[in-house]
Amino acid sequence: MSRPLTGVGLEQDQPNLYPTAVFLDIVVEPTVVNVVGTITYQQEIALDALADTFTRRGEISDVTYEPAENHWLQTRFAPDDTYVAFYRSGRCSIAGGNSVEHFHEVADRVNTLLRDILQFEYEPTVEISNIVATADIGTSIPLEALTLELGMEHTEYEPEQFPALMYREEDYVMLVFASGKLLCTGLTDVADVADAIERIESRLRAVV
């Protein structure tokens, strides 16, 4: 199932830490721009009490809890202001990690703080739910021709509504822009992201 495309962009410039490929003698470097995931605690969380405690903790740079409007507690964790949301069910979501390593580092900070406040002894479950990555093949792409190459059953291209071709596979979505930029979302492992980008590059050779 593909993941939502909101909240991701191509303008971020993060150092590449992942496998590369060569397309038309150009080195293609997938760059992770957002890692989203969850932490699951084995207990319900009293959000009002947690929000009050968070206002007095230096690990938190911002706290927003408006139960009349939203049923979750929104926070920003210092020092990088990473977005972390808490739900009464005991689930926590993290968004904005610029690498898998950064996501897990933030998750460790969240768990350390929650363990201190809630005094639990179990190990919470940490999972990555989506990795967003970009790449640039360095040349323009004829999107109409690519639609035919990839197959109408897998693609959506309506330039009057959205400038990119949307290519859907079972577990990810790839956006292909005429400028040569690619954006992949929906996968949870960086090796799978690199493989998906490499596969789309092999199909691009037929039209570029």
Side-chain angles (χ1 to χ4, degrees):
M1 183 179 230
S2 60
R3 304 298 197 279
L5 301 178
T6 57
V8 300
L10 295 170
E11 72 284 355
Q12 301 185 50
D13 185 16
Q14 300 292 342
N16 177 66
L17 301 173
Y18 305 107
T20 62
V22 177
F23 182 79
L24 300 178
D25 296 325
I26 298 171
V27 176
V28 179
E29 299 182 345
T31 301
V32 172
V33 296
N34 190 15
V35 179
V36 179
T38 61
I39 305 174
T40 303
Y41 298 97
Q42 299 173 19
Q43 62 192 96
E44 291 189 351
I45 300 175
L47 297 183
D48 50 352
L50 191 62
D52 182 63
T53 301
F54 278 172
T55 60
R56 300 190 297 272
R57 299 297 297 242
E59 299 95 329
I60 309 293
S61 57
D62 184 69
V63 180
T64 302
Y65 182 50
E66 299 174 346
E69 297 182 11
N70 298 310
H71 60 278
W72 61 88
L73 166 62
Q74 302 176 74
T75 69
R76 296 280 178 177
F77 266 64
D80 45 19
D81 290 337
T82 303
Y83 178 83
V84 183
F86 297 86
Y87 299 83
R88 194 173 303 278
S89 63
R91 187 170 63 88
C92 162
S93 63
I94 300 172
N98 56 30
S99 68
V100 170
E101 294 77 13
H102 179 228
F103 168 82
H104 283 293
E105 188 268 329
V106 172
D108 288 343
R109 282 191 274 139
V110 173
N111 283 335
T112 297
L113 178 60
L114 267 289
R115 185 173 283 109
D116 181 51
I117 295 172
L118 301 179
Q119 296 295 303
F120 57 80
E121 296 183 357
Y122 59 83
E123 191 63 34
T125 301
V126 179
E127 295 180 308
I128 291 175
S129 56
N130 186 28
I131 295 175
V132 181
T134 65
D136 191 341
I137 68 168
T139 188
S140 60
I141 301 171
L143 297 183
E144 294 86 353
L146 183 60
T147 300
L148 298 176
E149 168 65 23
L150 296 176
M152 299 291 290
E153 67 276 15
H154 294 293
T155 59
E156 295 178 28
Y157 181 50
E158 299 180 7
E160 66 279 2
Q161 297 184 21
F162 189 66
L165 179 151
M166 184 180 298
Y167 175 63
R168 293 186 181 274
E169 282 290 352
E170 182 177 354
D171 51 358
Y172 68 89
V173 172
M174 186 80 68
L175 297 184
V176 183
F177 293 83
S179 63
K181 293 184 183 295
L182 311 175
L183 185 148
C184 181
T185 182
L187 295 169
T188 60
D189 185 274
V190 290
D192 293 336
V193 172
D195 287 345
I197 290 176
E198 186 174 354
R199 285 197 297 272
I200 195 76
E201 288 168 355
S202 68
R203 304 294 295 275
L204 289 172
R205 296 177 187 276
V207 298
V208 174

